[in-house]
Every structure is written in structure tokens, then in C-alpha cells.
């Protein structure tokens, strides 16, 4: 996976959950977070607050971690 592929995906979809990126790119959350951190530093992407759970413990943390294109 290349930085440009991830950038293009988030730009095209405008928002993406980390869990969606994990499936699309078959990558670990840590690898994706590193790449996303680079895009955040460049001012292309921002992390946004995902939906808040009432502590049901059924949602995976990755589904609540959302990134948005601001490029």
C-alpha cells in the first residue's frame, strides 16, 4: 500500500473509519495510523470524533476511529 493510495481513498470517500481502511488495504491499524499521521501533519486529513457508545462494549474501537479529508 502506498501513501497515495490511502490518500486517494480518503479523498474519494471524504470520510473513512479505520476499520474500513483495514479491510480495504489489508493492513494493521498501527501501519494505517502512521500513514494517516503523515497526512494529518500535511493538513490533508483530520481525525474526527466518531459516534459515542454507551459502553455496550460491542463496538470495536476501529469502527469509532474516523478520518476525514480536508485537503
Amino acid at each position: 500500500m502506498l501513501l497515495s493510495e490511502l490518500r486517494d481513498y480518503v479523498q474519494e470517500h471524504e470520510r473513512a473509519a479505520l476499520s474500513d481502511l483495514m479491510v480495504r488495504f489489508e493492513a494493521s491499524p498501527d501501519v494505517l495510523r502512521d500513514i494517516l499521521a503523515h497526512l494529518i501533519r500535511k493538513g490533508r486529513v483530520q481525525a474526527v470524533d466518531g459516534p459515542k457508545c454507551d459502553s455496550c462494549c460491542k463496538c470495536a474501537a476501529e469502527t469509532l476511529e474516523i478520518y476525514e479529508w480536508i485537503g
Side-chain angles (χ1 to χ4, degrees):
M1 169 192 42
L2 299 173
L3 170 70
S4 61
E5 291 176 304
L6 180 59
R7 180 202 62 214
D8 293 347
Y9 183 89
V10 177
Q11 183 178 17
E12 180 181 330
H13 291 86
E14 296 180 5
R15 281 187 164 202
L18 184 61
S19 60
D20 294 336
L21 298 173
M22 290 167 55
V23 170
R24 168 62 179 88
F25 294 104
E26 298 178 357
S28 74
D30 291 334
V31 168
L32 291 167
R33 284 184 187 111
D34 286 345
I35 296 170
L36 289 161
H38 176 77
L39 292 171
I40 289 169
R41 286 190 303 274
K42 291 288 208 175
R44 304 288 188 227
V45 172
Q46 69 182 0
V48 295
D49 290 331
K52 299 297 179 201
C53 284
D54 294 328
S55 301
C56 68
C57 300
K58 293 180 183 175
C59 298
E62 292 83 11
T63 63
L64 303 176
E65 194 171 332
I66 299 173
Y67 295 89
E68 178 178 65
W69 179 258
I70 58 171

